[in-house]
Amino acid sequence: MINNTNIVMGIETSCDETSIAILEGENKLLSNIISSQMEIHEKYGGIVPEIASRKHMELIMITCKEALEQANINLTDVNGIAVVPGPGLKGSLLVGLSFGKAIAYALKKPLIGVNHIEGHIFANFINNNKIEYPFISLIVSGGHTLLMLVDNIGKYRIIGSTRDDAAGEVLDKISKYLNLGYPGGPAIERLAETGRESSIYFPRPLFYSNDYDFSFSGLKTAVINFVINKNMLREKIDINNLCASFQMAIIDTLKHKAISAARKFNIPRIVLGGGVTANQKLRNELLKEASKYGIEIFYPPKNLCTDNGAMIACAGYHKLKAGLIETFDLEVFTK
């Protein structure tokens, strides 16, 4: 039994992972259970919202029990309940939020609302408490691609976001188009490892714009058109070169925008988050470019890049410590 006043439960159900974690203090992760639905949605080539919400309902009690058992604590030992009201899929969010509210109400514990994006930022703090404020945060996932200026806990400003598709969404769609499987990012990354990234030039949308916004819809169209034209001419496509060139177009854009933002705001720290930031090529390219300007790059362990309860618990811990708690009127939001 742990006697501690800093134990936070993090509940994450924004998309297709049912995840509950128990965090003691700032970074002692006692458990982080992730019940993935990937195999269920893989045959559809993407997330089916109705199926996702039903699976969350089936899994959330089991996941909670397993998280408590692994942490070797009772539910009454938890000092705060961190939940995600959004953004995400409405049905999925409702399952986690309702579950978290019920626990917090029954046990008279603080309810802490954690924005899903906020969670991705604080995934970095679990294994690294040396990150100083302020910093630039680059969030890249299937649903989001944005740059944020983070002044402190709860003080965030979006300085750039995608005008259309998110980077991870485009990776998934191109992977589906090429019959490479789901999720698209890891599939494309594997093939790109043995490809030549300079073999095909694909556009870098908004690369020279005077802002920090992103746009990946045109890149998606360019890749599809390239394949169509090659097929019409009956020319063979080297899939490894295609994946390497396509992936590099995304990485170049993300790298350029993130480094430019850090230099513009004179902030020598960039914190990564989101599933796409598990991509090793992206990490290597950012580290190489950032070193030219004395900018530090921070990123979470790869298992904490995708959606997980640990990141929600960590953000929840910091918000609870700062007194940033919610009422039971907290509602879900999708965007």
Side-chain angles (χ1 to χ4, degrees):
M1 189 73 65
I2 297 171
N3 183 17
N4 193 292
T5 57
N6 292 317
I7 298 176
V8 174
M9 173 183 284
I11 302 170
E12 163 61 50
T13 64
S14 63
C15 192
D16 65 325
E17 275 96 6
T18 309
S19 183
I20 296 182
I22 309 293
L23 185 75
E24 179 189 1
E26 189 171 5
N27 53 23
K28 187 177 181 182
L29 191 59
L30 303 180
S31 65
N32 183 35
I33 308 302
I34 303 172
S35 301
S36 177
Q37 303 177 21
M38 191 178 296
E39 288 184 9
I40 297 168
H41 298 280
E42 186 175 8
K43 61 184 175 183
Y44 301 105
I47 309 301
V48 181
E50 294 82 2
I51 295 174
S53 57
R54 284 200 297 270
K55 290 303 294 183
H56 283 308
M57 292 176 69
E58 291 175 24
L59 293 167
I60 196 157
M61 284 288 289
I62 300 166
T63 307
C64 182
K65 184 173 182 291
E66 192 174 341
L68 291 167
E69 286 176 352
Q70 191 175 106
N72 194 29
I73 66 168
N74 296 318
L75 192 55
T76 51
D77 296 319
V78 175
N79 305 112
I81 309 296
V83 295
V84 179
L89 302 175
K90 187 173 183 179
S92 295
L93 290 164
L94 278 168
V95 176
L97 180 58
S98 301
F99 187 73
K101 279 184 177 181
I103 297 173
Y105 183 80
L107 299 180
K108 296 181 172 57
K109 302 291 185 180
L111 181 71
I112 311 148
V114 175
N115 187 294
H116 178 71
I117 303 299
E118 190 176 27
H120 279 305
I121 295 170
F122 279 87
N124 289 273
F125 284 71
I126 295 172
N127 291 332
N128 194 335
N129 56 8
K130 296 179 181 178
I131 303 174
E132 298 178 12
Y133 296 102
F135 56 80
I136 298 294
S137 184
L138 172 65
I139 305 296
V140 195
S141 67
H144 309 279
T145 302
L146 51 85
L147 279 164
M148 299 179 72
L149 176 55
V150 180
D151 287 315
N152 210 323
I153 179 71
K155 295 182 179 179
Y156 320 114
R157 178 156 59 101
I158 295 175
I159 57 175
S161 59
T162 183
R163 298 183 186 180
D164 38 61
D165 295 348
E169 180 184 358
V170 169
L171 285 163
D172 286 341
K173 287 179 176 177
I174 291 300
S175 180
K176 183 178 180 181
Y177 180 74
L178 298 173
N179 295 313
L180 301 179
Y182 175 85
I188 287 170
E189 182 180 9
R190 282 193 298 272
L191 291 170
E193 287 176 0
T194 52
R196 192 160 44 87
E197 60 204 31
S198 60
S199 62
I200 308 162
Y201 178 78
F202 290 120
R204 277 73 167 156
L206 299 183
F207 194 89
Y208 296 107
S209 64
N210 294 318
D211 55 39
Y212 304 106
D213 283 350
F214 302 92
S215 172
F216 294 105
S217 181
L219 172 60
K220 175 185 66 181
T221 303
V223 175
I224 291 171
N225 285 340
F226 175 85
V227 174
I228 290 171
N229 289 337
K230 285 290 184 181
N231 287 339
M232 286 177 64
L233 296 170
R234 299 182 185 276
E235 294 181 2
K236 185 179 178 182
I237 298 172
D238 187 312
I239 195 68
N240 301 81
N241 286 346
L242 173 64
C243 287
S245 300
F246 166 53
Q247 178 181 265
M248 200 62 206
I250 292 176
I251 290 172
D252 276 347
T253 305
L254 295 171
K255 176 178 68 176
H256 173 71
K257 295 279 183 172
I259 299 294
S260 296
R263 295 183 68 198
K264 170 71 174 179
F265 290 95
N266 196 28
I267 297 175
R269 288 169 293 279
I270 298 173
V271 172
L272 308 183
V276 177
T277 62
N279 183 290
Q280 193 59 49
K281 181 70 174 177
L282 172 61
R283 293 182 177 200
N284 293 344
E285 287 293 319
L286 273 167
L287 286 166
K288 186 168 65 175
E289 187 69 14
S291 67
K292 299 176 184 177
Y293 306 101
I295 297 169
E296 285 187 280
I297 302 292
F298 298 92
Y299 44 79
K302 292 189 178 184
N303 66 314
L304 296 183
C305 287
T306 52
D307 298 349
N308 64 87
M311 68 185 195
I312 306 305
C314 187
Y317 166 82
H318 286 274
K319 296 189 83 168
L320 181 61
K321 191 177 176 183
L324 301 173
I325 60 175
E326 300 287 346
T327 68
F328 288 97
D329 295 329
L330 183 65
E331 295 181 352
V332 301
F333 59 91
T334 57
K335 295 181 180 179

